[in-house]
């Protein structure tokens, strides 16, 4: 397709290994389906283990949408984090690959000034081009509701570390934010030499419970809080979060929080329940499949979709209503077709 004006563009970073290549592609499609058609999107993918086939598949998106996809193999940068051992992480579901997003604060082209980061288990259901970072700010993210509501337990390690002393004194002003979706002024971050500070803090605390999220909070939410901009809660809504409870320890009212949960722009399938894995997500399970169906991977995931919706007892019911199997008897091969409990046998060549 004819590319739009690159002067009106946004930049987006995603990260992942080969196991997430297709899921990452669905996230990209969700962004592009909702992006202003006059806006050009540059995607920078920090990847590990992508095959030529993976790259070829995800680059197909360029022929459908107004975008460019740049693949950045993390192989040459991964040694930067050699001192980190993911076995030391408190949460087993966090892997070392989560640190790859931190590379964006140093290893993006010089012409990239402002840039989004999006986790690959996210669906964007709105136009990102309307989201702006004020010129006097360096970093924008959403306060994490559940962690803030239960901060003494979930963020108990913050109460013991000097880097979070501001939070202990004033948790509303120095609030905790999620790192699955954010917008950063890369040019300003380079001027502040943020990446070097990130690495230094990682060396000091190589096994923080929430890994890169703890580090980013310490830098942007605590040290450089005056350059922090908090996004409305609809820009990071967790699909599995309990939204029926009252959230009264946040920087905004419970009414604003609940309304955001009903009308999300960014849907985050954090945790063990993923739409492409099972149908146990509390909310928005169908949203992921809507965008998957618009992606180059709709036929790849179709059997998985059928398997999920036809799982368990429902699958057995379907099989009882209709099934086809082969039967051999006295060297004669027959197809046995069962429809609503009635069997039909059709002779075929043995």
């Amino acid at each position: 397709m004819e590319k739009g004006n690159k002067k009106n563009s946004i930049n987006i970073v995603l990260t992942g290994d080969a196991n997430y290549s297709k899921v990452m592609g669905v996230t990209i499609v969700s962004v592009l389906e909702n992006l202003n058609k006059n806006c050009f999107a540059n995607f920078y993918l920090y990847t590990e283990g992508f095959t030529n086939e993976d790259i070829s598949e995800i680059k197909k998106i360029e022929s459908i949408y107004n975008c460019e996809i740049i693949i950045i193999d993390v192989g040459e940068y991964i040694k930067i984090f050699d001192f980190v051992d993911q076995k030391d992480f408190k949460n087993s579901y966090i892997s070392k690959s989560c640190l790859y997003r931190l590379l964006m604060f140093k290893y993006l082209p010089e012409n990239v000034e402002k840039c989004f980061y999006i986790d690959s288990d996210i669906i964007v259901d709105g136009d990102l081009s309307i989201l702006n970072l004020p010129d006097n700010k360096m970093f924008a993210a959403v306060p994490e509701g559940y962690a803030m509501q239960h901060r003494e337990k979930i963020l108990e390690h913050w109460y013991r570390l000097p880097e979070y002393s501001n939070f202990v004194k004033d948790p509303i002003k120095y609030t905790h934010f999620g790192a699955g979706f954010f917008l950063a002024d890369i040019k300003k971050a380079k001027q502040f030499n943020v990446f070097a500070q990130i690495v230094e803090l990682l060396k000091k605390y190589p096994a923080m419970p929430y890994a890169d999220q703890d580090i980013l909070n310490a830098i942007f939410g605590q040290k450089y809080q005056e350059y922090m901009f908090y996004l409305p809660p609809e820009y990071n809504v967790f699909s599995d979060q309990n939204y029926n409870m009252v959230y009264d320890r946040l920087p905004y009212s419970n009414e604003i929080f609940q309304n955001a949960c009903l009308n999300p722009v960014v849907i985050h399938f954090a945790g063990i329940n993923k739409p492409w894995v099972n149908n146990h997500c509390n909310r928005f399970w169908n949203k992921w499949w809507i965008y998957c169906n618009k992606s180059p991977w709709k036929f790849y995931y179709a059997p998985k979709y059928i398997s999920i919706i036809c799982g368990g007892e429902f699958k057995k019911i379907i099989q009882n209503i209709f099934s086809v199997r082969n039967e051999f008897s006295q060297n004669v091969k027959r197809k046995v077709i069962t429809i609503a409990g009635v069997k039909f046998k059709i002779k075929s060549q043995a």
Side-chain angles (χ1 to χ4, degrees):
M1 68 173 292
E2 183 180 351
K3 301 296 184 183
N5 186 357
K6 291 189 179 184
K7 290 183 179 179
N8 181 26
S9 65
I10 65 170
N11 304 297
I12 301 163
V13 162
L14 295 97
T15 66
D17 57 23
N19 294 323
Y20 252 60
S21 64
K22 297 174 177 59
V23 176
M24 184 187 296
V26 175
T27 300
I28 292 172
V29 167
S30 74
V31 172
L32 294 167
E33 277 288 319
N34 294 288
L35 194 63
N36 186 307
K37 301 309 176 186
N38 294 319
C39 187
F40 188 90
N42 301 296
F43 292 94
Y44 299 90
L45 312 186
Y46 287 95
T47 65
E48 181 183 17
F50 270 35
T51 65
N52 290 334
E53 183 180 357
D54 293 329
I55 295 172
S56 177
E57 276 189 336
I58 209 162
K59 295 279 279 184
K60 288 178 182 176
I61 296 174
E62 292 179 329
S63 64
I64 305 171
Y65 297 98
N66 203 24
C67 70
E68 183 176 8
I69 296 173
I70 300 96
I71 308 293
I72 304 170
D73 193 320
V74 299
E76 62 180 294
Y77 307 114
I78 200 168
K79 289 185 177 180
I80 295 172
F81 305 119
D82 271 354
F83 57 89
V84 177
D85 188 345
Q86 71 182 49
K87 293 178 183 177
D88 294 331
F89 289 156
K90 178 180 178 181
N91 298 301
S92 59
Y93 60 83
I94 298 179
S95 72
K96 194 172 176 177
S97 62
C98 69
L99 302 179
Y100 299 160
R101 76 192 73 183
L102 303 175
L103 295 169
M104 65 188 287
F105 295 105
K106 184 173 183 179
Y107 299 104
L108 277 175
E110 288 300 318
N111 63 331
V112 176
E113 295 191 2
K114 295 180 181 180
C115 187
F116 288 94
Y117 170 79
I118 307 176
D119 270 354
S120 293
D121 58 355
I122 275 176
I123 287 298
V124 177
D125 202 37
D127 182 8
L128 289 186
S129 70
I130 67 172
L131 201 59
N132 295 310
L133 183 63
D135 290 337
N136 64 334
K137 300 297 181 181
M138 181 165 49
F139 192 89
V142 177
E144 191 174 319
Y146 193 80
M148 284 295 293
Q149 189 70 24
H150 303 280
R151 50 184 175 258
E152 289 84 2
K153 180 178 180 181
I154 294 176
L155 302 174
E156 59 90 17
H157 57 295
W158 282 26
Y159 290 85
R160 295 181 280 102
L161 302 176
E163 286 78 8
Y164 304 96
S165 59
N166 286 328
F167 170 83
V168 176
K169 295 173 185 175
D170 190 347
I172 296 302
K173 180 178 179 180
Y174 295 90
T175 188
H176 170 270
F177 59 79
F181 177 86
F182 61 77
L183 174 59
D185 187 324
I186 302 300
K187 184 177 180 180
K188 199 178 260 82
K190 288 179 178 178
Q191 291 171 350
F192 279 74
N193 204 17
V194 161
F195 186 72
Q197 296 179 59
I198 286 173
V199 173
E200 181 181 356
L201 198 55
L202 265 175
K203 288 181 177 178
K204 185 177 180 181
Y205 303 116
M208 293 283 268
Y210 304 109
D212 61 301
Q213 184 162 291
D214 281 324
I215 299 299
L216 291 172
N217 268 273
I219 299 292
F220 294 110
Q222 304 299 310
K223 185 175 182 179
Y224 295 120
Q225 199 277 335
E226 67 268 32
Y227 298 103
M228 182 75 201
F229 183 71
Y230 294 105
L231 296 173
E234 58 264 30
Y235 283 96
N236 199 356
V237 172
F238 287 12
S239 64
D240 268 357
Q241 191 164 327
N242 177 12
Y243 297 108
N244 294 321
M245 63 180 283
V246 174
Y247 289 84
D248 56 3
R249 306 181 74 194
L250 308 181
Y252 31 71
S253 70
N254 183 66
E255 183 181 1
I256 290 174
F257 184 74
Q258 297 290 349
N259 184 62
C261 298
L262 293 173
N263 302 283
V265 177
V266 173
I267 302 168
H268 197 167
F269 298 100
I272 60 173
N273 295 318
K274 312 288 188 185
W276 58 95
V277 174
N278 57 49
N279 63 348
H280 299 156
C281 300
N282 285 342
R283 308 167 72 215
F284 310 119
W285 180 84
N286 64 314
K287 279 287 186 181
W288 191 89
W289 288 103
I290 288 171
Y291 289 110
C292 179
N293 194 46
K294 295 175 187 242
S295 79
W297 299 277
K298 59 182 176 182
F299 295 116
Y300 175 87
Y301 279 109
K304 183 68 175 176
Y305 179 82
I306 294 171
S307 175
I308 290 174
I309 65 172
C310 295
E313 292 302 313
F314 185 67
K315 184 176 181 180
K316 293 178 182 178
I317 293 171
I318 294 296
Q319 289 174 337
N320 288 333
I321 294 173
F322 178 82
S323 66
V324 179
R325 64 182 176 84
N326 292 320
E327 178 183 88
F328 290 88
S329 178
Q330 297 179 344
N331 294 324
V332 177
K333 179 181 178 183
R334 293 181 176 85
K335 245 179 218 318
V336 181
I337 302 173
T338 302
I339 302 176
V342 180
K343 293 183 179 180
F344 301 89
K345 295 185 179 182
I346 302 173
K347 185 179 178 180
S348 58
Q349 186 175 351

